[in-house]
Amino acid sequence: MNNNIYISLLIMCGTVYLIRLLPLLFLRKPITNRFVRSFLFYVPYVTLAVMTFPAIVTATDNIWSGAAALAVGLIMAWINGDLFVVAISCCVTVFLTGLIL
């Protein structure tokens, strides 16, 4: 059984190494295509949103308090943009909706 774990680890290490190495080998010139450049520009933001959104909604006992915190967080981020203010307002929203519901 231990051999299977080591083989799995070697396969995973090789896969991660190849994923990081192949773009360095094949993409020597800068990317000039506007569509590809704009796509690559937004990939980190989309990835962060996809990982964060389910965690925000399901972090509380009640899905409605998570949804309310998400809405308040979006509004506060749009108005102010300060991360501390957004985080505090989301926490207060979850606390208040938890008291109400």
Side-chain angles (χ1 to χ4, degrees), residues 1 4 22-23 33 40 43-44 46-47 53-54 69 84 94-95 97 100:
M1 182 167 150
N4 290 338
L22 289 177
N33 188 344
L40 292 175
V43 165
V46 170
T47 306
F53 178 74
F84 183 73
V94 167
F95 179 72
T97 54
I100 293 169

Side-chain angles (χ1 to χ4, degrees), residues 29-52:
K29 295 186 256 179
I31 299 171
T32 56
N33 188 344
R34 278 181 54 194
F35 177 75
V36 174
R37 287 180 61 89
S38 65
F39 174 77
L40 292 175
F41 178 78
Y42 289 110
V43 165
Y45 302 111
V46 170
T47 306
L48 181 64
V50 166
M51 291 188 308
T52 307

Side-chain angles (χ1 to χ4, degrees), residues 71-83 85-86 89:
V72 169
L74 287 173
I75 292 169
M76 291 303 293
W78 185 268
I79 292 171
N80 190 1
D82 186 19
L83 181 61
V85 173
V86 172
S89 62

Side-chain angles (χ1 to χ4, degrees), residues 17-34:
Y17 183 72
L18 283 176
I19 288 172
R20 293 172 187 244
L21 180 69
L22 289 177
L24 292 174
L25 290 176
F26 294 117
L27 298 175
R28 298 276 182 186
K29 295 186 256 179
I31 299 171
T32 56
N33 188 344
R34 278 181 54 194

